Amino acid sequence: MYEFDWSSIIPSLPFLLDGLIITAKITLIAIIIGIVWGTVLAVMRLSSIKVLSWFATLYVNLFRSVPLVMVLLWFYLIVPSLVQNVLGVSPKTDIRLISAMVAFSLFEAAYYAEIIRAGIQSISRGQASASLALGMTHMQSMRLVILPQAFRAMIPLLLTQGIVLFQDTSLVYVLSLADFFRTAANIGERDGTQIEMILFVGLIYFVISFSASMLVNYLKKRTI
């Protein structure tokens, strides 16, 4: 019978915390950039200018049809040479974190775009008509009237997507980036406690995700 050995968890907490910080950085950057770029894509997709609408539609469908792991590997191969050649970053610089942030941000933007597009379309057309009647331009109406109302209604969905993103960050394991999951796996392999480390990491993911889900449920009740 297997005997669990939890003795290596306490001494490993500083290293696990460093990994969790990397995971948090990827999550926060991807949420911020994803929402901003996703908003632009949503507005472009609803635009009457065909070129903008086609570009946004192609972008969203492309990223929603490709596995995230494949996107991570694409940007892991593309971003290093791009950053080194364009920005002159030293080849010795470890830019796996930058690659992961770029990949997650652009990937999640496609999903945020669909959430935001649905939120915009849920606002009554009368709101836009009233804004135009007051002398606002289409962009002013979108920025000052439509989007603020849409975002208030979309906050629970945006946070839910953020929880999914947080869970998906464990996929940077394929880049050998020392995030929370990879750090725990390395420690487990070193100490022969892979099962204990994976169970511990799973518990932390559960606690964080469950707590965020409770916040989402609270916000849903506030917005009803």
Side-chain angles (χ1 to χ4, degrees):
M1 183 176 178
Y2 183 82
E3 295 185 3
F4 289 96
D5 179 11
W6 307 99
S7 61
S8 62
I9 290 180
I10 299 299
S12 301
L13 287 179
F15 304 102
L16 292 172
L17 180 59
D18 289 340
L20 185 58
I21 290 173
I22 291 177
T23 295
K25 285 181 179 179
I26 296 173
T27 303
L28 292 175
I29 292 297
I31 288 175
I32 294 171
I33 297 178
I35 289 177
V36 172
W37 179 224
T39 301
V40 174
L41 288 169
V43 174
M44 290 171 64
R45 195 164 186 188
L46 294 172
S47 173
S48 58
I49 302 175
K50 294 297 183 182
V51 174
L52 297 180
S53 179
W54 287 343
F55 170 79
T57 300
L58 177 63
Y59 181 100
V60 169
N61 290 334
L62 173 63
F63 278 95
R64 285 168 62 91
S65 302
V66 177
L68 177 54
V69 172
M70 187 176 295
V71 176
L72 284 169
L73 291 174
W74 281 350
F75 282 93
Y76 179 61
L77 297 174
I78 294 172
V79 171
S81 58
L82 181 64
V83 171
Q84 289 167 5
N85 294 333
V86 176
L87 301 181
V89 176
S90 171
K92 296 181 180 180
T93 303
D94 185 1
I95 55 176
R96 289 173 296 177
L97 179 58
I98 298 176
S99 301
M101 287 179 175
V102 171
F104 270 102
S105 297
L106 297 183
F107 184 86
E108 291 299 322
Y111 288 86
Y112 281 122
E114 287 298 273
I115 295 173
I116 295 168
R117 181 171 69 93
I120 292 173
Q121 290 179 320
S122 69
I123 304 301
S124 170
R125 291 179 177 271
Q127 299 278 349
S129 300
S131 302
L132 297 175
L134 291 173
M136 292 186 182
T137 65
H138 175 72
M139 290 306 300
Q140 287 176 328
S141 172
M142 183 65 69
R143 179 168 56 88
L144 300 175
V145 179
I146 306 300
L147 284 177
Q149 295 183 67
F151 270 106
R152 277 196 292 272
M154 291 184 298
I155 286 177
L157 289 175
L158 295 175
L159 289 177
T160 299
Q161 185 61 34
I163 296 172
V164 175
L165 166 59
F166 168 70
Q167 296 168 345
D168 286 345
T169 55
S170 60
L171 292 176
V172 299
Y173 184 95
V174 300
L175 305 182
S176 298
L177 183 63
D179 72 315
F180 188 45
F181 181 74
R182 179 75 186 195
T183 300
N186 290 341
I187 294 172
E189 290 176 6
R190 183 196 66 192
D191 299 339
T193 56
Q194 293 96 328
I195 295 176
E196 291 84 350
M197 278 297 172
I198 290 175
L199 289 174
F200 178 72
V201 168
L203 175 63
I204 298 302
Y205 273 108
F206 170 78
V207 169
I208 294 175
S209 298
F210 183 75
S211 300
S213 297
M214 292 297 97
L215 174 61
V216 170
N217 291 334
Y218 171 76
L219 292 175
K220 281 183 179 179
K221 294 178 182 178
R222 291 289 300 271
T223 56
I224 293 176

